[in-house]
């Protein structure tokens, strides 16, 4: 693999785009020169795989460059200053975002998974950071067999419980399926074997069958005058089959979408037309037609589904969709970042599109202290609500159609995602869940009352701050303690949590009435 494998995948790149990817690749090659993966191959292979995946999703040159550089700050001598000087603030911002996400720890307790997912999204601040992280995780899962056995299970579980739901919520069907099928055998080995054998027994020679039926369908569609179409087929992914089997009491004959054929046509009209042609060609099963074009799934998925029985006795689910729907169902939010759509404000913006700037705001982020110049908010120009793809607004579960202002929309989104909590880190990456407005004092007491009672100072993101500083989502907080330090009355208005206030009060009382 080399840099040209990435460049050929770029979507109409400029010379600058190509040069940027090349430069990032060379920088990474040099920085990681002495690194190898667990498999023994050069570390650069990992970065190239991530860059290639991002290109395949249709991401732009800057995101790909950040993907190539995503491990430099954490694993090499390269400093943030080096990256900034060579590649600029935006790429540094993405690389640091990915680096920071690496500190999100997973402890495998179900109770915390939802917070962890929120934290994951919140901490990323820019949706492109999440996309890079997903591409990174995909390659790590593809090479998981080389990782020491004691780490495999933790990584695979984290993939299923954090990354897969995030990918699903972002509508990224392709990577979601890849991730779950890679993680499945590690997390549920017994179930995996069972499902695998069941599928073999039922659909062992399915590729031959599917190829034959596909030719029949292609011929008929062409005869009818539908010329500009693509067909493909797939066997259901093992992990999603596993979930379906659990719902169907392990009766594989009750699973109708084991084999599926996809028909991709230019327009929505063609979709309905193709459905008619298919129902005339093959006998549809009753009650199996689903119109997800008129009624998209909550994550935005659109297609027509029907199940048919062919004269060869094959039960087949047929999925009919336009190219755009197909692209969206494979790449979800990533397809919106790069889709060239008219810009609301009328100004010409190349990449990131307005979605790239809108979406981070939706996921509400934390406001960056000191250096707000590099966040992408400045492009957010109240776009019309109806220009926001429906599925994105559904991520926020916004049901109230009367609300039209972006501000309200963003507010709803935040409430849903964060319900007035923030998540901050200890220096070793543990997560502390605090109310909005919390300060280092609250953090200190959340860690331990001894820490709270002897707090003498605080660092946020490695900078010394006042004790009344409001903490933000994703901050890394460090408390300095001194034996001689004690709570004072001044701390009371600073503390936002009842725990901290109670401890401060009782300590102050002890001081005054020993
Ligand atoms: Mn990596």
């Amino acid at each position: 693999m080399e840099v040209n494998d990435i460049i050929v995948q770029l979507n109409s790149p400029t010379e600058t785009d190509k040069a940027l990817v090349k430069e990032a690749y060379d920088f990474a090659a040099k920085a990681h020169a002495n690194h190898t993966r667990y498999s023994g191959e050069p570390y650069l292979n990992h970065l190239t795989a991530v860059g290639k995946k991002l290109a395949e999703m249709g991401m732009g040159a800057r995101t790909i460059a950040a993907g190539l550089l995503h491990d430099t700050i954490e694993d090499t001598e390269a400093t943030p200053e080096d990256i900034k000087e060579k590649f600029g603030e935006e790429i540094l911002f993405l690389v640091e975002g990915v680096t920071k996400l690496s500190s999100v720890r997973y402890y495998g307790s179900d109770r915390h998974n939802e917070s962890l997912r929120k934290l994951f999204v919140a901490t990323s601040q820019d949706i492109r950071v999440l996309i890079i992280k997903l591409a990174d995780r995909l390659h790590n899962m593809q090479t998981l067999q080389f990782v020491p056995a004691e780490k495999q299970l933790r990584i695979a579980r984290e993939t299923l419980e954090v990354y897969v739901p995030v990918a699903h919520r972002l509508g990224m069907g392709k990577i979601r399926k890849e991730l779950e099928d890679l993680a499945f055998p590690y997390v549920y080995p017994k179930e995996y074997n069972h499902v695998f054998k069941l599928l073999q027994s039922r659909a062992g020679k399915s590729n031959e069958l599917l190829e034959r039926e596909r030719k029949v369908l292609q011929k008929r569609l062409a005869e009818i005058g539908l010329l500009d179409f693509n067909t493909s087929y797939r066997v259901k992914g093992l992990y999603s089959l596993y979930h379906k089997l659990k719902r169907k009491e392990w009766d594989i004959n009750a699973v109708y979408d084991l084999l599926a054929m996809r028909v991709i046509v230019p327009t929505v009209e063609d979709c309905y037309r193709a459905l008619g042609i298919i129902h005339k060609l093959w006998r549809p099963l009753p009650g199996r037609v689903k119109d997800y074009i008129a009624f998209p799934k909550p994550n935005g998925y659109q297609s027509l589904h029907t199940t048919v029985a062919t004269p060869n006795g094959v039960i087949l689910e047929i999925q009919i969709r336009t190219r755009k729907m197909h692209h969206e169902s494979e790449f979800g939010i990533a397809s919106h970042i790069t889709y060239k759509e008219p810009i609301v404000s009328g100004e010409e913006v190349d990449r990131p599109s307005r979605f790239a700037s809108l979406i981070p705001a939706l996921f509400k982020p934390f406001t960056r202290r000191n250096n707000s110049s590099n966040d992408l908010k400045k492009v957010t120009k109240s776009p019309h609500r109806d220009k926001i793809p429906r599925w994105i607004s559904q991520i926020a579960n916004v049901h109230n159609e009367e609300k039209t202002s972006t501000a309200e929309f963003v507010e709803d989104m935040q409430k849903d995602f964060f319900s007035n909590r923030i998540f901050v880190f200890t220096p070793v990456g543990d997560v502390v869940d605090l109310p909005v407005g919390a300060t280092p004092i609250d953090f200190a007491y959340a860690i331990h009352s001894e820490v709270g009672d002897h707090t003498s100072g605080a660092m946020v993101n490695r900078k010394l701050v006042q004790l009344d500083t409001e903490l933000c989502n994703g901050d890394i907080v460090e408390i300095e303690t001194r034996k001689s330090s004690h709570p004072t009355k001044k701390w009371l208005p600073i503390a936002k949590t009842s725990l901290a206030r109670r401890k401060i009060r009782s300590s102050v009382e002890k001081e005054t009435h020993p």
Side-chain angles (χ1 to χ4, degrees), residues 37 43 46-47 50 70-71 75 133 136 140:
R37 299 274 288 172
Y43 201 88
H46 168 62
L47 306 164
V50 170
H70 81 269
D71 282 324
D75 298 342
K133 196 69 196 165
D136 176 38
N140 288 338

Side-chain angles (χ1 to χ4, degrees), residues 14 47 50 63 68 74 78 120 155 158 187 190 202 228 255 271 281 306 310 357 388 439 447 492 500:
T14 63
L47 306 164
V50 170
T63 311
L68 288 165
E74 204 173 2
F120 192 79
I155 295 171
E158 185 183 65
V187 181
K190 266 204 311 224
R202 186 70 168 54
D228 186 14
V255 178
C271 292
L281 176 66
T306 184
T310 74
S357 55
I388 298 168
T439 62
I447 299 292
L492 276 172

